[in-house]
């Protein structure tokens, strides 16, 4: 009887959720202003959360050294400003020249790729291995064009992702400042809305979510930095042009799970092929070796068991996130999945514990 009552309550809850969704779809015009506000705020909010978890350990360390929290945040802001100034003076000119040179030479680069593919097609070794009715050069150029268009779409979407620069520039530092100053109190404020008997479980959930997000963001940054160092050293060893620009592009795109690693390989292969087929092969080898070291040595050491997500689950989540929300959906889908997983597991544990405590009470009532 108790199991039947639980089943009925679950069915009623599901029906209520579906009814709310249906009513919401009928009056969607009421939510459009909220969605518009969300689309404006989401980029600076994501950046604020990202840098909050990166900078929070440093702020906490300064506070432990008897420095006022506000003064510690302002000191970190000052150091970041100095680092940005040093980057603009020391690194940006070289990076800018490589970027401008690459954009200006783009038509010549594609012509050079076609010439290299034609040479490969006419070589004796490949002509003896490839059937006469096949045209691998044109097929590969088609694949490269498709890959380049895919990369262009993601890059253009990435630029539109941060297109409202004024909003990001003025909102992001303010949000980050208040998050660093009051961030430790957010979880307690959320838990205060729970019924009192669930405060302990709510606090545990908030701590688990905070630890999961912190480990994921900090770990992802460290893993990508390690990948960038490995790739840059490898590109310098094989003499790949635009090594700094290609490495920076690969590091940034690698924050996009699964898709970023594939998209970033396309320009690396094209630039390598322009130099020579052997350089293209070596560039792919460098990428594969760096990614293998990242996936099998660096990532397990940094993440440990904190990122317990199967690779197949990651692929499905990324595809679903991209279809639902574009690049924002791809970036958010893994953290959202981690949060929902923690909440569902805790709710399941509460349900099992509640059922185990209810069964002895019902058995005692039946005995009486």
């Amino acid at each position: 009887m108790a199991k039947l009552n639980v089943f009925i309550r679950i069915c009623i809850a599901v029906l209520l959720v579906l009814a709310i969704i249906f009513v919401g779809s009928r009056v969607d015009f009421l939510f459009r202003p909220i969605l518009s506000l969300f689309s404006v705020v989401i980029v600076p909010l994501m950046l604020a959360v990202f840098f909050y978890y990166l900078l929070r350990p440093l702020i906490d360390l300064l506070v432990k050294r008897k420095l006022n929290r506000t003064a510690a945040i302002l000191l970190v802001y000052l150091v970041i400003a100095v680092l940005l100034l040093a980057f603009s003076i020391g690194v940006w000119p070289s990076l800018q020249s490589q970027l401008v040179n690459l954009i200006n030479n783009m038509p010549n680069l594609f012509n050079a790729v076609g010439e290299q593919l034609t040479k490969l097609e006419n070589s004796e070794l490949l002509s003896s291995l490839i059937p006469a009715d096949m045209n691998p050069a044109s097929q590969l150029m088609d694949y490269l064009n498709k890959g380049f268009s895919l990369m262009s779409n993601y890059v253009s979407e990435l630029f539109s992702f941060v297109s409202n620069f004024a909003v990001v520039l003025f909102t992001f530092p303010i949000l980050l400042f208040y998050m660093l100053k009051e961030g430790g109190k957010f979880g307690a404020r959320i838990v205060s809305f729970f019924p009192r008997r669930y405060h302990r479980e709510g606090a545990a959930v908030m701590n688990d979510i905070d630890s999961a997000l912190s480990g994921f963001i900090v770990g992802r940054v460290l893993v990508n930095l390690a990948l960038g160092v490995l790739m840059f050293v490898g590109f310098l060893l094989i003499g790949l042009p635009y090594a700094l620009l290609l490495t920076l592009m690969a590091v940034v795109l690698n924050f996009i799970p699964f898709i970023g690693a594939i998209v970033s390989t396309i320009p690396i292969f094209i630039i390598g092929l322009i130099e020579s087929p052997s350089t293209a092969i070596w560039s792919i080898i460098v990428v594969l070796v760096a990614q293998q070291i990242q996936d099998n040595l660096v990532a397990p050491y940094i993440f440990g068991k904190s990122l317990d997500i199967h690779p197949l689950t990651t692929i499905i989540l990324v595809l679903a996130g991209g279809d639902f929300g574009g690049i924002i959906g791809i970036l958010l889908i893994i953290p959202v999945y981690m949060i929902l997983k923690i909440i569902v597991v805790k709710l399941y544990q509460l349900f099992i514990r509640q059922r185990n405590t209810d069964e002895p009470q019902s058995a005692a009532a039946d005995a009486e």
Side-chain angles (χ1 to χ4, degrees):
M1 189 65 181
K3 292 182 178 180
L4 181 60
N5 292 333
V6 171
F7 177 75
I8 292 174
R9 287 199 297 267
I10 293 174
C11 291
I12 293 174
V14 171
L15 290 175
L16 287 175
V17 170
L18 293 177
I20 292 171
I21 295 173
F22 175 76
V23 173
S25 65
R26 296 285 117 182
V27 292
D28 59 333
F29 60 90
L30 295 175
F31 303 101
R32 285 173 189 166
I34 299 175
L35 293 176
S36 300
L37 178 63
F38 178 77
S39 63
V40 173
V41 176
I42 183 63
V43 175
L45 183 61
M46 288 175 58
L47 289 174
V49 172
F50 179 80
F51 282 98
Y52 166 74
Y53 282 108
L54 283 182
L55 299 178
R56 187 178 63 177
L58 179 59
I59 300 297
D60 293 340
L61 179 63
L62 293 176
V63 171
K64 289 181 180 178
R65 298 295 179 91
K66 308 302 180 183
L67 189 65
N68 180 270
R69 193 169 190 86
T70 302
I73 297 171
L74 294 176
L75 178 62
V76 171
Y77 270 37
L78 179 62
V79 172
I80 292 175
V82 172
L83 292 177
L84 289 176
L85 180 62
F87 175 82
S88 63
I89 296 175
V91 180
W92 176 245
S94 174
L95 192 64
Q96 184 183 25
S97 64
Q98 289 188 22
L99 181 60
V100 172
N101 189 20
L102 179 63
I103 294 174
N104 292 334
N105 291 334
M106 192 63 68
N108 297 329
L109 295 179
F110 270 93
N111 291 332
V113 170
E115 293 175 0
Q116 290 288 355
L117 293 176
T118 303
K119 290 179 182 179
L120 286 174
E121 186 180 359
N122 295 330
S123 65
E124 296 181 359
L125 178 61
L126 289 181
S127 61
S128 62
L129 297 176
I130 298 174
D133 57 344
M134 290 185 62
N135 190 359
S138 61
Q139 292 177 358
L140 188 54
M141 280 298 294
D142 290 338
Y143 289 136
L144 288 178
N145 286 325
K146 292 178 181 178
F148 184 75
S149 63
L150 177 65
M151 183 187 67
S152 300
N153 292 334
Y154 273 99
V155 170
S156 62
E157 193 174 353
L158 184 63
F159 277 111
S160 64
F161 175 62
V162 292
S163 58
N164 201 341
F165 182 73
V167 175
V168 175
L169 181 64
F170 290 105
T171 309
F172 152 63
I174 298 174
L175 287 174
L176 178 60
F177 177 84
Y178 283 104
M179 290 183 68
L180 289 172
K181 194 172 186 299
E182 305 288 341
K185 301 177 182 178
F186 289 154
R189 290 174 180 172
I190 294 175
V191 172
S192 65
F193 291 100
F194 295 176
R196 185 173 297 275
R197 59 175 177 167
Y198 294 122
H199 277 192
R200 186 178 65 179
E201 289 80 5
V205 169
M206 297 307 300
N207 288 332
D208 290 343
I209 291 174
D210 183 72
S211 299
L213 290 178
S214 177
F216 174 74
I217 293 174
V218 176
R220 179 55 60 189
V221 170
L222 294 176
V223 166
N224 286 359
L225 288 177
L227 177 69
V229 171
L230 292 171
M231 292 178 64
F232 185 65
V233 172
F235 291 159
L236 291 179
L237 290 176
I238 65 175
L240 184 69
Y242 309 107
L244 178 61
L245 179 62
L246 293 174
T247 301
L248 183 61
M249 185 185 303
V251 170
V252 172
L253 289 175
N254 205 55
F255 280 98
I256 303 175
F258 180 65
I259 296 176
I262 299 175
V263 173
S264 63
T265 307
I266 297 172
I268 294 172
F269 177 77
I270 292 175
I271 299 300
L273 187 61
I274 291 168
E275 285 293 296
S276 66
S278 60
T279 304
I281 294 173
W282 277 111
S283 65
I284 297 299
I285 291 175
V286 168
V287 172
L288 292 177
V289 170
Q291 289 179 349
Q292 290 300 312
I293 294 176
Q294 176 208 38
D295 294 337
N296 298 312
L297 295 179
V298 180
Y301 176 76
I302 293 177
F303 287 115
K305 295 185 179 296
S306 61
L307 191 62
D308 189 16
I309 304 177
H310 195 275
L312 181 60
T313 305
T314 302
I315 295 173
I316 295 173
L317 290 172
V318 168
L319 294 177
D323 184 66
F324 180 75
I327 192 169
I328 295 180
I330 292 174
L331 293 173
L332 289 178
I333 191 65
I334 300 297
V336 169
Y337 170 79
M338 295 168 61
I339 293 172
L340 292 177
K341 183 179 178 181
I342 291 172
I343 294 174
V344 170
V345 169
K346 179 57 70 173
L347 289 176
Y348 178 76
Q349 291 174 350
L350 286 174
F351 173 75
I352 293 297
R353 190 172 67 187
Q354 185 69 30
R355 189 177 67 176
N356 290 337
T357 55
D358 288 343
E359 285 180 354
Q361 293 176 0
S362 61
D366 293 338
E368 292 177 357

